[in-house]
Amino acid sequence: MPENPPLIPTVVDAEQFAAQTTAIVESVGRVIDGKPDAVRSALVCLLAEGHLLIEDVPGVGKTMLARALAASVDATVRRIQFTPDLLPGDVTGVSVYNPVDREFEFKRGAVFAHIVIADEINRSSPKTQSALLEAMEEGQVTVDGSTHMLPDPFLVVATQNPLEMEGTYALPEAQRDRFMMRISMGYPDAAAEALMLRQRDTVNPLASVRAVADAASVSGLIAWARSVHVAPALEEYTVALAQATRADPNLHLGASPRATLQLIRAAKVWAALDGRDFVIPDDVTALLIPVFAHRLLPARGAHRAGAQPIEAALRQIVERVRVPVTARS
């Protein structure tokens, strides 16, 4: 029997897609107060078959968001606490000699789950971070020449602390490019923080979360979102945005072709969550910064123009690139 037998997706229609995605958002929203954009972004990554990077200071709910999403989906979940002494084999698995059978057998690592929470990923060395590269891109790991398939669906939700904090390593460009989106939680507003104090003094909100979807139904939601229509003119618009980042004098490194592909995939889910079966330009521009910004590098001296030169450059690109008049053929 294969390690992970093929999953048969649950067939869904538009009404079922809306009902199930609403249930997931509400389930996660009961744990994450006042952060609907972060919850929606996490769901977009799950249904667009991407991965999510959450960057912010400690204590604002990064890990809580990942755990709430995992608890809302009845699927296998593993949490990896990235530390300086974590080894690649702890993530992917290792081959261990079995003296009874007189052969090596593969012991799965923590990455073998539908949802993997990579907590404080940038506290580990680049060598350990690289253990996730093959898994995130190809849905498999290779150990000692043998390839092992990961479960489907597969989502990595990673959290990282700002680089100026002690004990952190910068994520390599190849690692950042594997993440579909990077978001920031931000501090809660005063009302949400006061509500948190009243509700969580004695009760862990995760204890009350119940799964509202399973792996098969999530695969069905993914299939429905994948069928959302993207007009050729809108594909050309997305490519034009990506090419503009490669020619912008304020950017040293532009968006990769993988970024362009993932922007379209995310836009499809964004449109489906809005109840549409076609993508419009606003879907693309709404996701441009979360999908592109973490992959880009500012040109030398660009930081003098502002605190967020990459975001500023992307906004200028949106203003320059012509929007297609008709987005649906």
Side-chain angles (χ1 to χ4, degrees), residues 179-196:
F179 287 100
M180 173 173 281
M181 296 174 64
R182 182 190 65 182
I183 64 172
S184 176
M185 297 288 291
Y187 290 108
D189 57 36
E193 193 165 4
L195 180 63
M196 179 187 69

Side-chain angles (χ1 to χ4, degrees), residues 43-45 47-51 136-137 180-181 222 225-228 230 238 258-272 279 284 287 291:
L43 183 58
V44 167
C45 286
L47 300 186
E49 299 179 281
H51 306 287
M136 294 173 66
E137 178 63 18
M180 173 173 281
M181 296 174 64
I222 292 172
R226 195 182 296 141
S227 67
V228 170
V230 182
T238 306
R258 182 190 287 119
T260 311
L261 176 62
Q262 293 192 344
L263 179 57
I264 285 292
R265 289 178 176 174
K268 285 185 174 185
V269 178
W270 195 269
V279 176
V284 175
L287 292 164
V291 175

Side-chain angles (χ1 to χ4, degrees), residues 28 32 38-39 42 54 61-69 183 185:
V28 179
I32 306 299
V39 174
I54 309 174
K62 303 187 300 295
T63 305
M64 187 71 75
L65 172 60
R67 293 180 62 190
L69 178 63
I183 64 172
M185 297 288 291

Side-chain angles (χ1 to χ4, degrees), residues 78-93:
R78 295 283 182 86
R79 180 178 179 273
I80 309 174
Q81 180 63 55
F82 279 71
T83 56
D85 59 348
L86 188 72
L87 299 176
D90 299 328
V91 178
T92 59

Side-chain angles (χ1 to χ4, degrees), residues 163-237:
L163 289 178
E164 58 269 18
M165 291 193 166
E166 294 184 5
T168 60
Y169 299 83
L171 293 184
E173 287 80 3
Q175 182 77 63
R176 295 200 306 269
D177 200 40
R178 260 52 172 201
F179 287 100
M180 173 173 281
M181 296 174 64
R182 182 190 65 182
I183 64 172
S184 176
M185 297 288 291
Y187 290 108
D189 57 36
E193 193 165 4
L195 180 63
M196 179 187 69
L197 294 178
R198 292 193 298 270
Q199 292 182 341
R200 305 184 186 183
D201 187 27
T202 57
V203 178
N204 183 350
L206 284 171
S208 61
V209 176
R210 296 293 179 266
V212 295
D214 57 19
S217 62
V218 168
S219 293
L221 298 176
I222 292 172
W224 174 261
R226 195 182 296 141
S227 67
V228 170
H229 176 72
V230 182
L234 197 51
E235 294 176 339
E236 294 172 2
Y237 175 62

